[in-house]
Amino acid sequence: MRRILLITAAAAAFVLAAGCSSGSGEPKSGDDNPTIALLLPESKTTRYEAFDRPLFEAKTKQLCANCRVLYFNADQDAAKQQSQFESALTQGADVIVLDAVNADAVAPQINQAKQKKIPVIAYDRLISGIGYEYYVSFDNVKVGKVQGEALLAELTKRGTVDKGQVVMINGAPTDPSAGDYKTGAHQALDGKVKVAREFDTPDWSPDKAQQEMEQSITALGKDSIVGVYSANDGMASGIIAALKRAGYASLPPLTGQDGELTAVQRILTGEQTMTIYLNYRAQAEQAAELAVALGKGEKPPAPATTDNGSAKIPSFLLDAIPVNRDNLKDTIVKDGLYTAAEICTPDVVAACRTAGLE
């Protein structure tokens, strides 16, 4: 948390001229109580409803008691999100914060906002093909690299690096963040392990990840798979179901991301090797601060820029933290993402004691 707060603090003192050239022109003159639309992509990943939405809404309310937040969740349906975007415009949104279902296909909607001089913040997923005001996310290539390094470290610890093959279960092909995670993971793994099967998983679906893992076990043989790269925790749950169904007495190393409560519990019991702790509070609050400022006619400086292929987008890129059984207490619990009581349900209480959480 301290590292991310430092990033945010540094942003306040760091001015980039590029920030004025990539957005939708001069925003509206400003409103003391702007209407802000938050559009999130799906609910299969628990973070969006459990963290991003309530944290964003709470920070907006803190900064602007009479601001109105219009909330939409697209349920992984790009057409539905397009309709929601248009609804936000119709309902008078002064700022739109968009986590796109298909980030390569929303340029027409961004253009509609530009024509109305309504600023847009790309949240979590980088939108390509057009300029807009801000991008708030994590260093996604680094996230994938950290995941890959964690998998490699566990394989090395077990002495199985060269004893078999690895399966890679990547995220949705419509999500540019998934491509970044994959790039980073390959940076860590290529030339060090044999990747025998690799999938880009539609919708980040745990069910589809389970099917992909089952296909891999059938094709490669149970004993030949020594590790699995999963881009997030939701898909890791499906992968574990496939591994258990196949009769693994001891599960191979398995990565994850998002710090989901069930994943934290799996890490404690040894079913999952690690997860990536993304500080949703820092991300959501940063986006809320920017949205309120834009709604009031201000444009704060950003500490970085990201090239989206058409423009250099002023960016706030936060740090991601790898979490395993050894540092879980000093990261996720210490920062208050979950309490020990929430984690240590009866089925994992013994593992909690071993990890010093009880």
Side-chain angles (χ1 to χ4, degrees):
M1 178 77 78
R2 188 176 301 156
R3 295 167 64 192
I4 292 171
L5 289 174
L6 289 172
I7 290 173
T8 305
F14 198 105
V15 180
L16 287 175
C20 299
S21 62
S22 65
S24 48
E26 290 301 319
K28 293 180 178 180
S29 59
D31 184 340
D32 286 341
N33 300 304
T35 296
I36 298 166
L38 174 64
L39 287 80
L40 296 181
E42 47 102 346
S43 54
K44 285 185 178 180
T45 305
T46 60
R47 60 167 287 188
Y48 293 115
E49 295 294 336
F51 297 106
D52 296 80
R53 176 189 181 181
L55 290 169
F56 181 92
E57 290 177 337
K59 187 63 175 180
T60 300
K61 189 73 171 176
Q62 177 189 342
L63 295 170
C64 179
N66 294 318
C67 281
R68 183 166 66 123
V69 176
L70 305 173
Y71 175 67
F72 305 88
N73 190 301
D75 298 316
Q76 201 59 45
D77 185 332
K80 181 177 179 179
Q81 189 170 71
Q82 178 179 345
S83 176
Q84 292 173 339
F85 193 102
E86 292 166 354
S87 177
L89 296 178
T90 301
Q91 293 183 55
D94 297 295
V95 182
I96 293 179
V97 180
L98 175 62
D99 193 341
V101 172
N102 186 345
D104 293 329
V106 295
Q109 286 79 63
I110 306 296
N111 196 49
Q112 288 181 49
K114 288 169 73 101
Q115 291 171 359
K116 295 176 179 290
K117 298 190 182 299
I118 297 172
V120 174
I121 299 169
Y123 184 79
D124 206 48
R125 300 176 182 180
L126 182 68
I127 296 167
S128 60
I130 195 167
Y132 42 90
E133 270 60 39
Y134 293 107
Y135 172 48
V136 180
S137 189
F138 295 87
D139 185 338
N140 294 325
V141 173
K142 183 177 179 182
V143 168
K145 186 176 182 182
V146 168
Q147 290 174 308
E149 289 170 344
L151 178 60
L152 186 62
E154 184 63 21
L155 290 169
T156 302
K157 179 180 176 182
R158 298 190 188 192
T160 55
V161 171
D162 57 352
K163 297 293 192 298
Q165 302 167 98
V166 167
V167 175
M168 292 188 69
I169 310 288
N170 304 306
T174 55
D175 181 352
S177 298
D180 288 340
Y181 303 143
K182 178 166 65 172
T183 295
H186 275 289
Q187 288 177 1
L189 296 173
D190 286 357
K192 300 179 179 69
V193 300
K194 181 180 179 182
V195 177
R197 287 288 187 279
E198 183 168 7
F199 304 87
D200 295 329
T201 309
D203 303 337
W204 293 88
S205 168
D207 292 339
K208 291 171 184 173
Q210 180 174 346
Q211 293 168 9
E212 290 163 350
M213 194 66 224
E214 288 170 348
Q215 292 169 18
S216 300
I217 294 168
T218 299
L220 302 173
K222 183 177 74 172
D223 295 336
S224 72
I225 299 171
V226 296
V228 185
Y229 169 83
S230 173
N232 81 347
D233 293 334
M235 294 192 304
S237 68
I239 292 164
I240 289 170
L243 293 169
K244 287 183 173 180
R245 180 175 293 182
Y248 280 80
S250 177
L251 300 186
L254 171 66
T255 64
Q257 177 185 190
D258 291 330
E260 291 189 0
L261 178 58
T262 52
V264 171
Q265 293 169 329
R266 292 194 299 264
I267 289 170
L268 284 169
T269 60
E271 291 182 337
Q272 185 170 324
T273 305
M274 58 84 69
T275 187
I276 293 289
Y277 169 33
L278 303 176
N279 192 321
Y280 306 128
R281 180 178 298 279
Q283 185 184 22
E285 291 186 350
Q286 180 66 76
E289 289 171 9
L290 293 172
V292 171
L294 286 169
K296 293 182 177 182
E298 304 166 4
K299 196 164 185 183
T305 58
T306 302
D307 189 341
N308 76 346
S310 297
K312 294 187 182 299
I313 310 299
S315 302
F316 291 77
L317 301 177
L318 308 177
D319 272 347
I321 302 168
V323 173
N324 56 34
R325 198 183 310 177
D326 294 335
N327 70 344
L328 193 156
K329 183 177 181 180
D330 292 329
T331 52
I332 283 175
V333 176
K334 183 178 179 181
D335 286 353
L337 184 65
Y338 307 114
T339 65
E342 289 172 322
I343 295 169
C344 298
T345 53
D347 53 332
V348 297
V349 68
C352 279
R353 291 194 187 100
T354 301
L357 295 182
E358 278 279 302

